Amino acid sequence: MRRVVITGLGLIAPNGNNLESSWNNTLEGVSGVDYIRSFDTSRLDVHIAGEVRDLKNNEFFSPKELKLFSRFTQLAIMATHEALQISGLEPENYPAEPGIACFIGVGIGDVNTTEQTGVILKEKGPKKISPFFIPSIISNMAAGNTAQFFKLKGSNLCISTACASGTHAIGEAWLHLKSGMSDIAVCGGSEAAVGEIGIAGFSRMNALSRRNDTPKTASRPFDRTRDGFVLSEGAGILILEEYEYAKKRGAPIFAEMIGYGTSCDAYHITSPSPGGEGAGRCMQMALKSANLHYDSIGYINAHGSSTEYNDLFETQAIKRVFKDHAKKLYVSSTKGATGHCLGAAGGIEACFLAKTLSSGFIPPTANLEEPGEQLDLNYVPKQAIEKSVQFALSNSFGFGGTNASLLFKKWNA
């Protein structure tokens, strides 16, 4: 069977505009959540979010590209640039056939431009709508424009499965490489839904934290006082590579990807299935695909969204799948530091998972003061732990009952 390794990581998050700054801040429990600055929140119940600040995108893109590329596409391209640089991939060592695949998940797409264009249509008429409107808002433009920008001529797919989009994109890219359809894939997730309509919509669902007075501690996965997730934006991109190809070109290797699981709750459009039944099946599938026993896992980067039912049901799923070993696991949610980046969350958290294995540090669950009722695992509260683990999982669950799990192995050169 073909082996697949991770040779590049690129990351843009509310708590850091590159891999190392976001990773280091996450290890230290530094939150990227703050008061919203990009628009007026006076009409809203929620005034906080995880915004990417000081992006310097006007130095990276031409004026024409800034018009054509929506923010979620810009984030994907910039994160891909970092991942390619770290991997050492240059056009001269791209595989000629079938080319580099590009799988980037997006949960929502550009709702902000859609909102603004709706106002223009109503007030000024259809002839005032930008000709760039449709090509900029559709979700597959993160993958399409990233491929065009870097001349990636392999398969090109957008996976859109709500908050599991980035994780599914990485999993499907892994299957693509395992099957021999490509030797290299750019994959992950991107999202930029922080805007008035995004905040208003999630707020009306009672899904968002209303800790407006204390934004830095608003995202508090597994905590007794959690009151909803914090909407954030960002991008996380991985370079997956067939091992022999990576070895031949002397690529750096962060970890090996050895398993992937996916399932559907088939229960409710927004609520996870009771007891995390679907999430449990998803983790079991990842273990089965890697031919690995449950007691081999040392760490889980949990979906841990800071909502009542997700944190509880994910915990119950972990306890059911891992049995007595669950109490020996380290389980943390890095969303305490980043907030919830929706379709980008899986890409960002997969980057963190690869760094966990390569660095020997397990990131903490920021802002966790006292676990809630029935939440009795080791959630690594507030402080990172120096610990080498051999196998680790990353979970993502989304509206529509969709679930995805990735399984990575520490690279032992």
Side-chain angles (χ1 to χ4, degrees):
M1 295 292 290
R2 287 160 58 93
R3 298 173 69 186
V4 177
V5 293
I6 300 162
T7 63
L9 304 170
L11 203 156
I12 298 175
N15 68 344
N17 287 356
N18 56 59
L19 175 66
E20 290 304 318
S21 64
S22 180
W23 170 245
N24 290 333
N25 282 332
T26 298
L27 283 182
E28 295 171 10
V30 176
S31 171
V33 177
D34 209 334
Y35 294 108
I36 294 169
R37 298 180 189 173
S38 58
F39 61 93
D40 180 13
T41 64
S42 59
R43 298 196 301 170
L44 301 172
D45 297 328
V46 174
H47 309 299
I48 59 175
E51 295 180 298
V52 171
R53 304 272 172 85
D54 305 318
L55 190 58
K56 297 182 180 178
N57 50 345
N58 60 334
E59 298 176 10
F60 192 92
F61 297 106
S62 69
K64 181 179 180 180
E65 289 168 338
L66 288 171
K67 287 183 179 181
L68 179 61
F69 299 157
S70 290
R71 187 171 176 85
F72 74 93
T73 296
Q74 294 176 31
L75 295 174
I77 291 173
M78 295 177 77
T80 299
H81 179 260
E82 181 182 30
L84 289 170
Q85 281 195 319
I86 289 173
S87 75
L89 270 172
E90 300 287 349
E92 56 265 26
N93 56 27
Y94 284 4
E97 293 293 339
I100 296 177
C102 184
F103 290 15
I104 299 180
V106 176
I108 291 182
D110 191 352
V111 292
N112 296 321
T113 297
T114 301
E115 175 192 6
Q116 294 157 10
T117 303
V119 173
I120 293 171
L121 176 63
K122 184 176 181 179
E123 295 181 352
K124 299 181 179 180
K127 293 189 181 297
K128 295 297 182 180
I129 292 176
S130 169
F132 296 113
F133 170 57
I134 294 298
S136 69
I137 65 163
I138 51 181
S139 298
N140 77 303
M141 284 302 177
N145 284 321
T146 296
Q148 181 179 341
F149 197 92
F150 296 104
K151 307 304 178 188
L152 312 176
K153 296 185 178 181
S155 298
N156 186 269
L157 293 175
C158 170
I159 310 295
S160 188
T161 50
C163 303
S165 299
T167 302
H168 275 129
I170 296 165
E172 295 302 313
W174 177 73
L175 291 175
H176 198 73
L177 267 62
K178 293 284 282 185
S179 72
M181 293 181 71
S182 292
D183 289 324
I184 304 175
V186 169
C187 56
S190 183
E191 198 83 90
V194 177
E196 189 171 27
I197 194 168
I199 294 287
F202 281 114
S203 179
R204 286 287 292 158
M205 294 175 64
N206 293 317
L208 298 182
S209 172
R210 286 176 165 77
R211 290 177 177 268
N212 293 316
D213 295 334
T214 55
K216 294 296 183 186
T217 59
S219 182
R220 42 199 313 112
F222 305 111
D223 192 81
R224 179 180 58 83
T225 63
R226 66 195 185 280
D227 68 332
F229 73 82
V230 174
L231 183 61
S232 297
E233 62 182 358
I237 298 294
L238 288 74
I239 308 298
L240 297 188
E241 199 161 344
E242 191 273 325
Y243 169 61
E244 294 297 334
Y245 194 95
K247 180 182 177 181
K248 183 178 179 180
R249 69 178 191 88
I253 296 176
F254 288 89
E256 182 176 3
M257 183 169 171
I258 62 170
Y260 168 50
T262 180
S263 70
C264 180
D265 293 346
Y267 171 74
H268 191 271
I269 58 171
T270 57
S271 177
S273 54
E277 184 272 337
R281 285 188 288 106
C282 185
M283 288 184 276
Q284 287 173 327
M285 182 185 291
L287 289 166
K288 184 177 181 180
S289 71
N291 194 27
L292 203 64
H293 195 263
Y294 65 80
D295 63 7
S296 300
I297 303 298
Y299 169 64
I300 297 175
N301 189 310
H303 182 66
S305 62
S306 192
T307 59
E308 180 182 359
Y309 289 124
N310 177 87
D311 293 3
L312 173 61
F313 293 163
E314 184 174 14
T315 294
Q316 291 173 342
I318 290 169
K319 290 163 71 173
R320 187 173 65 256
V321 171
F322 293 92
K323 303 179 174 58
D324 292 342
H325 183 64
K327 293 299 179 73
K328 300 176 184 178
L329 283 168
Y330 295 96
V331 179
S332 71
S333 172
T334 49
K335 289 184 178 71
T338 65
H340 191 355
C341 298
L342 305 184
I348 291 169
E349 289 155 19
C351 288
F352 290 156
L353 195 72
K355 287 291 288 182
T356 296
L357 292 169
S358 63
S359 71
F361 283 91
I362 294 175
T365 302
N367 306 318
L368 176 54
E369 301 285 349
E370 180 184 347
E373 187 177 352
Q374 301 183 58
L375 304 183
D376 54 356
L377 300 178
N378 182 355
Y379 302 110
V380 195
K382 299 177 75 171
Q383 289 190 330
I385 294 174
E386 187 172 2
K387 177 72 175 180
S388 178
V389 296
Q390 286 293 114
F391 301 97
L393 272 169
S394 181
N395 287 333
S396 293
F397 313 129
F399 286 173
T402 185
N403 309 303
S405 297
L406 306 176
L407 206 168
F408 292 175
K409 178 183 178 183
K410 181 180 176 66
W411 183 251
N412 298 304

